[in-house]
Amino acid sequence: MEMQQFYYDNKIVKKFIYATILFGVVGMAVGLLLAILFLFPNLTDGISCLSFGRLRPLHTNAVIFAFVGNAMFAGIYYSLQRLLKARMFSDFLSSLHFWGWQLIIVAAAISLPLGYTSSKEYAELEWPIDIAIALIWVVFGINMIGTIIKRRERHMYVAIWFYLATFVTVAVLHIFNSLALPVSALKSYSVYAGVQDALVQWWYGHNAVAFFLTTPFLGLMYYFVPKAANRPVYSYRLSIIHFWSLIFIYIWAGPHHLLYSALPNWAQNLGVVFSIMLIAPSWGGMINGLLTLRGVWDKVRVEPVLKFFVVAITGYGMATFEGPMLSLKNVNAIAHFTDWIVAHVHVGALAWNGFLAFGMIYWLIPRMTKGPLFSTKLANFHFWIGTLGIIIYTLPMYVAGFAQASMWKQFNPDGTLMYGNFLETVTQIMPMYWMRMIGGCMYIFGMFVLVYNIIQTMRANSTVEDELAEAPALQKISKGRIKGEKFHPWLERRPIQLTILATVAILIGGIIQIVPTIMVDSNIPTIASVKPYTPLELEGRDLYIREGCVGCHSQMVRPFRSEVERYGPQSKAGEFVYDHPFLWGSKRTGPDLLRVGQKYNDNWHFNHMWDPQSTSSGSIMPGYKWLFDNEAMDISDIETKMKTMQKLGVPYSDAEVANAKSSIQKQAIAIEKNLYSDPDFVKSYENSRKSAAAKGEAFVPMHQREITALIAYLQRLGTDIKIKDNIKKQ
């Protein structure tokens, strides 16, 4: 049989590895800064682009899409070529994919701190960047599928099944969750509202974890763990069961993020059932990975790559046991909105994704540079300091979560809340936040050790070059099944059929959950008293979104006695019909705000946004001084915003749109008049007026500044529901 010579493209792998390391440092550094801001909330006081609310989505996007994403692509580009015995389909597409992805990351790093965000968890980027992501993702898919078609290896190995499922599912998730109507070049509104938006978002959010952070890394596990251990995968049959059951079941589990919310009960319960089922395929993968190391556990003691892989797979097992457990309603009632979830997420991110990426890098670089790793001792040190960092980070977060949940729910004998002031909980868990910061420092220090070790290895060894390989051309055989051939081996040599079946498997769950929620009106009963936001309130809501307030505050009161007592009547689906996007939140660093409207006067909100500690002693909320700047609020596109909302079904009349700016003026002036009831406001306001006059600067009246719009929005929250009447009925 004639052998064909060709070259594996190692240079594209090298580029993705470099990007992985660079953005790993950046993403983790931003995360560490956020941990420090919990301890010193005014550290970046007055600098809008460095505020917690704007940096948090930068951290999550940098770690997920920049660090983990680049690591995923590096591993796929390396393993795919060797599993298929073919160079990548197109060098041009490889380069376009690499540079396009990095430009998207840079666009995210610029736009998110500037406040351009859709506010949807793990999907905060605005519509032009969303389109770019879709296009570059298609480039990646064409390159991968093209390589599969021209392969020299008949059967596709299990890792490739996971790569294909990742490509198809992420494309579907991203496109449907990102559907929005643009208002301007960097502003849009989700086409979904309230309950429907929440369901679609967490269908995406949960499965972004599943199909961006899990399935591709399982594919990498199936390639790199056997390679590093020099052992075959433990069970081929288990890999088949693992793959198909995982991709089918995972897609149903999104609603477990919305338990006890205004989501219809049938959707919640469906999510719970499939979440519990998910433990079986998840642990099947973990078992397959760990048992691949049978017979070579002595090597784990000395080889850092295997150490990283073992802890990564163990972390995957822990996170995928905890996930189904957290989907049980009685457990979710305790954990949701607390730091327990932060601990859970970081077990997966730091151990599973981080350590698998580190092990892969330590394995790849010496082979691509044709020389030894600069220092095995440093790699082992990285492993131990990283492992200790994970432990010191996550364990205090579990303790903090338990403390929050128990304190929020405790009552005095007379029926009043034992800890009625939310800040009593915050004060109690501050030592845990110190421990988290220390653990984060240790983890990122390990990352710096990796940077040094890899740089020194690259300097000492050969330059990364394309690798010569040879293999016989693939011989054509019958399209049908060969006599005696079982179904799955036949499917493994039919990439189109395998991809179609995988697509069907992931679409079933999404269709059954989402279509009825959107199409059947009885799922979201309307409430006559719920009206659209006024133009000023709409502007204020956009400011709330811009500042990332949803990252620390929920707007979802669950049907618990403690929450009803603390916040007011439980949330109802009909309250959110005009919310594009929904703002239910996923973490309560601060109290729920759904019923905050009219609870405090305008002066309280004014002072609270300027200096939170002045109104709430012990608060770890930063000030938002830029909202008070002597600059006029930009309302130039308010008519466009309202017309966009009209297209989305919000019942603004044409007259309301035409009179939007005069409506803003009228409501804002009323708020400014309310502020005059505070002598301190009058004094500082007049002083700032005189100061501007002395400097020859134009003075912008308070009713034209952004703070008035935010106050208007906060004072509106929850006021469509007659709270006193509802409390009597409870």
Side-chain angles (χ1 to χ4, degrees), residues 331-345:
V331 179
N332 187 274
I334 298 169
H336 196 51
F337 291 133
T338 75
D339 283 308
W340 182 344
I341 306 302
V342 177
H344 166 62
V345 168

Side-chain angles (χ1 to χ4, degrees), residues 58-253:
L58 176 63
H59 166 60
T60 55
N61 279 266
V63 171
I64 295 171
F65 300 110
F67 170 60
V68 175
N70 277 306
M72 173 183 80
F73 294 134
I76 289 176
Y77 272 87
Y78 184 89
S79 61
L80 193 69
Q81 297 181 78
R82 285 151 182 83
L83 290 171
L84 299 174
K85 293 186 169 59
R87 187 181 179 88
M88 292 305 299
F89 173 66
S90 167
D91 289 358
F92 170 75
L93 291 180
S94 296
S95 291
L96 180 61
H97 175 202
F98 174 77
W99 290 110
W101 195 256
Q102 310 320 311
L103 286 173
I104 287 166
I105 293 166
V106 171
I110 294 170
S111 63
L112 290 172
L114 291 176
Y116 297 108
T117 173
S118 70
S119 90
K120 302 182 81 170
E121 196 106 15
Y122 315 136
E124 291 91 349
L125 303 178
E126 270 294 357
W127 68 272
I129 307 176
D130 280 337
I131 292 173
I133 291 170
L135 293 175
I136 294 301
W137 192 255
V138 169
V139 167
F140 162 59
I142 292 171
N143 208 14
M144 178 169 65
I145 292 167
T147 309
I148 291 171
I149 291 171
K150 73 168 193 176
R151 70 193 187 280
R152 295 181 178 85
E153 184 67 45
R154 188 172 310 284
H155 287 267
M156 293 183 296
Y157 179 64
V158 56
I160 300 171
W161 316 344
F162 280 102
Y163 300 160
L164 285 170
T166 297
F167 166 67
V168 170
T169 312
V170 170
V172 171
L173 293 168
H174 174 72
I175 290 168
F176 281 97
N177 186 53
S178 300
L179 291 176
L181 287 186
V183 173
S184 62
L186 288 170
K187 176 65 181 176
S188 63
Y189 291 126
S190 171
V191 300
Y192 315 104
V195 172
Q196 296 161 344
D197 193 40
L199 179 60
V200 174
Q201 158 57 29
W202 282 112
W203 169 73
Y204 163 88
H206 181 78
N207 291 300
V209 173
F211 289 91
F212 200 91
L213 300 178
T214 303
T215 55
F217 270 63
L218 287 168
L220 299 180
M221 177 196 79
Y222 273 115
Y223 180 82
F224 286 102
V225 171
K227 282 286 186 183
N230 196 27
R231 301 282 297 178
V233 169
Y234 171 68
S235 171
Y236 164 70
R237 183 172 296 174
L238 183 56
S239 69
I240 295 173
I241 297 170
H242 173 213
F243 172 73
W244 289 106
S245 57
L246 189 80
I247 68 167
F248 176 74
I249 294 173
Y250 230 131
I251 209 80
W252 296 74

